[in-house]
Amino acid sequence: MKKEFAVIGLGRFGGSICRTLVEEGVEVMAIDMDESKVNEFASIASHAVIGNATNESVLKNLGIRNFDHVIVAIGEDIQASILTTLMLKELGVNKITVKAQNDYHEKVLSKIGADFIVHPERDMGKRIAHKIVSSSVLDYLELSDEHSIVEIVANEKLHGNTLIDLDIRANYGINIVAIKREKEVIVSPMAAEVIQNGDILIVIGSDEDLNRFEKKMLQQIR
Ligand code: ATP
């Protein structure tokens, strides 16, 4: 059975979610109070509707409670975002994801029961800052305030070592979960796997341990 999603607010974030969901082959209802946005999405989403989401009867008439997942991507109008989330909750929507503008907004959203709260600008900012700061970090994904997954490029210092030689888990408390080597991806590499210069190591651990590893193993010889 196909899952049904509704996206409220078709700015850059909501619009991108809407397009990607459609590409994934799921049914999406796109809602915005701005007619020009709705026209833009009329040929993309399964249904595109003009409506003010802070109006309860609009949400009821759209049958919003029947959707599996509603994404609230109203940006600047924090009051409208909170009110919409509250009504979606009261109407019994199963899963609600909301874009938060700031920490206060997030606090209120979590109090009223939003299931997932996202901060796309803040998260992307952190991700880019990590890449800029370290030339060996290709990508960064925050798992919690203290844990992350990073993609680190192996240099000549690591070249020729097996995972057991480096004993990264014992020495640094982190784990290499996969190695990308050109087009190949080695998932859960064995202890005898030999690292090559240019391999991309996908490493999971605490931020402190990851930093220690990156500095010691990769930066020392530069
Ligand atoms: P982005 O950064 O994702 O482009 P933004 O954070 O600047 O967006 P806005 O442009 O303020 O966010 O809002 C996103 C969309 O939500 C807009 O297209 C706006 O018309 C729509 N929107 C705002 N309030 C409501 C509402 N009450 N009901 C329906 N749509 C709304």
Side-chain angles (χ1 to χ4, degrees):
M1 215 170 76
K2 275 190 173 178
K3 281 195 162 193
E4 288 218 342
F5 291 79
V7 177
I8 301 174
L10 303 168
R12 283 162 301 179
F13 176 70
S16 166
I17 296 237
C18 187
R19 285 174 203 275
T20 310
L21 288 172
V22 170
E23 280 163 22
E24 293 282 334
V26 293
E27 299 272 321
V28 186
M29 179 189 273
I31 305 157
D32 202 296
M33 61 183 188
D34 178 344
E35 189 178 353
S36 65
K37 291 278 176 197
V38 174
N39 289 339
E40 187 187 333
F41 282 84
S43 57
I44 299 166
S46 324
H47 311 275
V49 186
I50 306 170
N52 186 339
T54 60
N55 184 336
E56 192 172 8
S57 57
V58 167
L59 294 178
K60 277 189 178 159
N61 289 338
L62 291 173
I64 206 82
R65 61 184 308 167
N66 301 319
F67 285 81
D68 293 315
H69 197 148
V70 179
I71 296 100
V72 182
I74 297 172
E76 278 164 34
D77 190 347
I78 292 180
Q79 202 174 318
S81 158
I82 292 170
L83 191 55
T84 302
T85 307
L86 190 60
M87 284 188 302
L88 293 173
K89 203 68 204 165
E90 280 176 1
L91 290 169
V93 171
N94 193 18
K95 264 191 217 145
I96 309 169
T97 292
V98 192
K99 173 186 163 178
Q101 286 293 91
N102 55 46
D103 291 345
Y104 300 110
H105 188 190
E106 170 165 13
K107 226 176 194 172
V108 176
L109 292 171
S110 78
K111 273 262 184 290
I112 59 179
D115 300 283
F116 305 102
I117 301 165
V118 291
H119 290 257
E121 289 93 353
R122 188 191 69 185
D123 295 348
M124 190 49 84
K126 278 191 185 180
R127 227 164 140 176
I128 291 171
H130 276 270
K131 281 198 217 182
I132 292 169
V133 148
S134 165
S135 56
S136 49
V137 171
L138 292 185
D139 208 352
Y140 159 92
L141 181 70
E142 189 177 78
L143 296 177
S144 72
D145 283 349
E146 287 163 14
H147 292 82
S148 310
I149 297 178
V150 291
E151 284 190 355
I152 299 176
V153 193
N155 63 10
E156 55 273 38
K157 191 177 179 192
L158 297 184
H159 181 79
N161 286 289
T162 63
L163 297 186
I164 199 81
D165 292 335
L166 298 171
D167 208 3
I168 286 172
R169 193 182 308 181
N171 291 330
Y172 295 92
I174 60 179
N175 277 295
I176 296 181
V177 290
I179 299 176
K180 285 200 232 173
R181 184 172 297 150
E182 290 168 9
K183 289 200 174 133
E184 193 190 0
V185 177
I186 305 157
V187 180
S188 303
M190 309 290 265
E193 186 68 44
V194 180
I195 296 179
Q196 296 174 17
N197 195 2
D199 278 355
I200 296 166
L201 312 178
I202 295 145
V203 193
I204 185 167
S206 74
D207 293 337
E208 200 185 326
D209 292 335
L210 288 167
N211 271 335
R212 217 157 42 91
F213 169 70
E214 205 226 323
K215 285 210 174 83
K216 267 229 160 122
M217 303 301 282
L218 298 166
Q219 294 185 335
Q220 246 173 24
I221 61 157
R222 272 203 227 117

